[in-house]
Amino acid sequence: MCFALLPAARANESSAFDAGKFVMEHVSDAHEWHLFTVGDVHVSIPLPVILYSKTGGFHVFLSSRFEHGHAVWQNFRIAQEGSPHAGKIVELDASGTELAALPWDFSITKTVAGLIFSAIIIILLFTWLARRMQQIAGHAPSGLLNMLEPVILFVRDDVAKSSIGEHYERFMPFLLSVFFFILINNLFGLIPIAPFGANVTGNIGVTLVLALFTFFVTSFSGNRHYWKEIFNPDVPVWMKFPLFPLMQLIEIMSMFIKPIVLMVRLFANMLAGHMVITVFLSLIFMFSALLGPVASYGVSVLSVIFSVFITLLDVLVSFIQAYVFTLLSALYIGMATSGEH
Amino acid sequence: MGFVTPDYGTIFWMCVVFGITVWILKRFAWKPILNGLKAREQQIARALASAESAREEMKRLAAHNEAVLQEARAEKENILKEAITLKNKLLSDAKEQAAMESEHLLEMAKHKIEEEKNAAINDIRQQVAELSVEIAEKVLRRELSNPTAQQQLVDSIVKDMNIS
């Protein structure tokens, strides 16, 4: 990743403040990592764009080539508002009109960059912790290890052991990874300065993959009893074999609804947190536009207080969501691996 | 509403990044950490158990020591008692022996004295007999000459004899 700062060309957008756009820009994914805007100059970290189109093959270049969406590079550009694919990268034909077929876009977007950054931090942190653990073997822990050990023990004893039972050890690496991945991404998302602040866990693609992992772990570790309960539930026969297998349908639906609920809960909570903070901050600019600068000074005090409050609330929510996701995953795994009742 | 439709690019990268992260963490972080935690828990449990057993051992040793002490005390008492009885016995034995010895000596002395006395008496008897014979001889020699003188002579001889 290249972190060179590119002061870009002057933006052409109208100077009127659009709160909706402001909020959306802050929570949406982007091909560049916007740092700040001075006047009309946007400063952002360019991120790699990786495209594959049937006509042009592979293309890899930095997003700074698009000049914040104003320029065309190698027949690609970011679709402007009004286009059916607004915000996405589209391919242009020789005459300059957008092709209907979108190129495959595997770009390192802001979310992916934040994801990679926090993954590196998590890997470094916990492998370092593991080394510390081996160094102090037989002695009392200290420092960071002392701080994180109770959390690991909490996940092991109060989440995994109590939900899964005797076979909990097999699932510990997955549950711990999920817990700390969500927790650290949630907390990083609250720090507004790059390389933090990417809305990773508030991105539905990310939570979808997390939920998918839980789904696969649950399904692959499900025992005979678990599958029997789905395809031949323990209910009166008339509920299983009337005109159509009602109970089986419900059971199979619940199999998929569980991870979907996991996905939506985490995504919605984190997205909402980010949105509320940006909404409170955008109040300053709305009042400034509506009633002049004096009103905005007054409102800014309130806005900042509320934003701080919501941020602190989000710290709490970060922990709760990491806990809830891990706990529910553990419960689903526990349901799939428990014996006859 | 762009942000509620999952983006396949994000999904792809998330799968890659999260998969690698879980794999690396599982191998290089969670295994050593969980093993370390378990090892420490076992160590603490062992330490507690061994402390408990050490306490038991101490209690047992203390009891044992007490018993040994008791035994030693009893033995001492015994030895002392034995020594006293032995002393008493020795003393009484010695006394008895001494008494017997002295009695024996006394007896012997008495016997000796008796013997000496008898010997002396026999001797005296013999001497008296000899003297008597002598006197009788002298008297017999002189009797014919003078009866008065005879009498005087016997008296004087008897006086001379001075039998003790």
Side-chain angles (χ1 to χ4, degrees):
Chain A
M1 262 183 293
C2 170
F3 283 100
L5 304 185
L6 284 199
R10 297 176 66 86
N12 294 332
E13 289 109 44
S14 64
S15 55
F17 180 72
D18 182 350
K21 195 160 165 277
F22 174 76
V23 173
M24 287 307 154
E25 272 177 3
H26 272 83
V27 297
S28 309
D29 208 355
H31 282 94
E32 59 185 13
W33 200 320
H34 182 249
L35 296 179
F36 53 85
T37 304
V38 183
D40 285 333
V41 178
H42 297 298
V43 178
S44 46
I45 302 167
L47 297 169
V49 175
I50 302 166
L51 297 172
Y52 176 77
S53 77
K54 277 171 191 145
T55 51
F58 272 106
H59 294 269
V60 179
F61 52 91
L62 282 179
S63 64
S64 53
R65 300 290 188 193
F66 288 136
E67 292 172 17
H68 308 291
H70 305 297
V72 177
W73 178 258
Q74 292 175 346
N75 282 341
F76 296 104
R77 76 154 182 223
I78 297 173
Q80 301 296 305
E81 277 170 63
S83 152
H85 309 300
K88 292 207 166 112
I89 293 176
V90 289
E91 195 173 6
L92 305 178
D93 61 14
S95 65
T97 50
E98 291 177 10
L99 290 174
L102 291 172
W104 289 93
D105 184 357
F106 289 100
S107 304
I108 306 292
T109 57
K110 184 181 169 186
T111 303
V112 177
L115 187 70
I116 292 169
F117 172 74
S118 54
I120 289 168
I121 296 289
I122 289 167
I123 288 170
L124 290 180
L125 175 66
F126 287 103
T127 47
W128 175 82
L129 220 61
R131 269 207 308 283
R132 281 288 296 141
M133 190 64 132
Q134 283 163 331
Q135 276 168 12
I136 63 145
H139 299 279
S142 61
L144 202 58
L145 185 58
N146 209 3
M147 189 179 96
L148 287 170
E149 234 189 67
V151 185
I152 296 171
L153 284 176
F154 172 76
V155 173
R156 191 190 70 179
D157 296 337
D158 292 323
V159 175
K161 221 183 255 180
S162 59
S163 313
I164 300 174
E166 53 176 328
H167 305 300
Y168 76 97
E169 272 181 3
R170 261 177 67 204
F171 305 102
M172 277 309 292
F174 172 69
L175 291 174
L176 281 170
S177 300
V178 165
F179 180 81
F180 283 105
F181 190 87
I182 294 173
L183 177 65
I184 287 173
N185 273 307
N186 285 352
L187 292 176
F188 278 8
L190 294 175
I191 305 171
I193 306 153
F196 307 104
N199 184 21
V200 175
T201 39
N203 183 300
I204 198 159
V206 171
T207 59
L208 182 138
V209 173
L210 286 171
L212 217 59
F213 267 80
T214 297
F215 173 74
F216 282 126
V217 169
T218 310
S219 300
F220 285 133
S221 58
N223 56 17
R224 188 187 299 169
H225 176 68
Y226 171 71
W227 293 111
K228 184 239 152 205
E229 280 296 302
I230 287 175
F231 293 109
N232 186 16
D234 193 12
V235 290
V237 178
W238 60 268
M239 289 182 84
K240 285 189 278 190
F241 306 106
L243 294 179
F244 65 96
L246 176 71
M247 279 313 289
Q248 282 91 329
L249 201 71
I250 291 172
E251 290 284 351
I252 289 167
M253 268 166 68
S254 88
M255 227 173 91
F256 293 102
I257 288 170
K258 281 174 191 167
I260 290 171
V261 167
L262 279 183
M263 168 182 85
V264 172
R265 182 188 296 107
L266 178 60
F267 156 72
N269 268 285
M270 295 328 291
L271 182 73
H274 283 254
M275 276 177 132
V276 171
I277 292 169
T278 37
V279 164
F280 272 120
L281 288 177
S282 67
L283 277 181
I284 301 171
F285 307 108
M286 285 164 73
F287 273 81
S288 165
L290 286 171
L291 304 169
V294 181
S296 75
Y297 294 143
V299 172
S300 67
V301 177
L302 265 178
S303 288
V304 168
I305 290 171
F306 273 118
S307 295
V308 169
F309 170 70
I310 298 293
T311 306
L312 292 177
L313 195 69
D314 267 3
V315 173
L316 182 67
V317 170
S318 297
F319 280 94
I320 291 172
Q321 288 308 317
Y323 167 64
V324 166
F325 196 103
T326 317
L327 179 71
L328 288 177
S329 297
L331 279 173
Y332 297 158
I333 294 170
M335 277 184 218
T337 54
S338 69
E340 315 278 325
H341 48 223
Chain B
M1 299 294 276
F3 54 81
V4 287
T5 38
D7 177 61
Y8 59 86
T10 313
I11 292 172
F12 168 76
W13 285 112
M14 175 65 188
C15 281
V16 172
V17 172
F18 187 67
I20 291 172
T21 307
V22 170
W23 185 78
I24 291 177
L25 286 181
K26 182 181 174 178
R27 225 187 128 112
F28 298 108
W30 302 133
K31 230 167 230 169
I33 287 175
L34 291 172
N35 287 344
L37 284 175
K38 197 185 263 177
R40 190 158 73 225
E41 272 162 10
Q42 282 167 353
Q43 190 187 355
I44 289 170
R46 261 204 311 277
L48 283 176
S50 73
E52 184 60 33
S53 73
R55 202 164 36 234
E56 287 296 313
E57 183 73 3
M58 279 295 292
K59 217 184 273 175
R60 210 179 56 74
L61 271 181
H64 180 70
N65 282 354
E66 190 58 34
V68 166
L69 217 65
Q70 204 69 34
E71 209 169 288
R73 214 172 281 148
E75 193 149 337
K76 185 195 84 179
E77 215 108 298
N78 248 1
I79 289 172
L80 223 61
K81 215 179 275 171
E82 235 165 72
I84 287 171
T85 49
L86 194 68
K87 181 198 87 178
N88 287 347
K89 189 170 171 289
L90 273 178
L91 226 63
S92 63
D93 274 11
K95 257 186 204 160
E96 209 170 300
Q97 189 117 18
M100 256 163 71
E101 195 79 10
S102 61
E103 208 164 307
H104 183 65
L105 277 175
L106 219 63
E107 204 71 28
M108 256 164 66
K110 269 185 191 164
H111 199 67
K112 197 98 180 173
I113 288 168
E114 195 71 19
E115 251 173 33
E116 292 292 319
K117 199 177 89 185
N118 287 348
I121 288 170
N122 283 348
D123 204 17
I124 287 169
R125 259 190 209 132
Q126 212 170 330
Q127 274 185 17
V128 167
E130 275 173 22
L131 277 176
S132 304
V133 173
E134 227 173 290
I135 290 166
E137 202 179 87
K138 276 177 187 170
V139 167
L140 282 174
R141 270 182 204 155
R142 277 182 191 193
E143 83 187 289
L144 296 165
S145 56
N146 192 1
T148 21
Q150 246 181 26
Q151 191 62 46
Q152 274 173 338
L153 185 63
V154 169
D155 285 348
S156 75
I157 291 166
V158 167
K159 232 183 227 163
D160 282 352
M161 272 170 62
N162 198 10
I163 307 155
S164 53

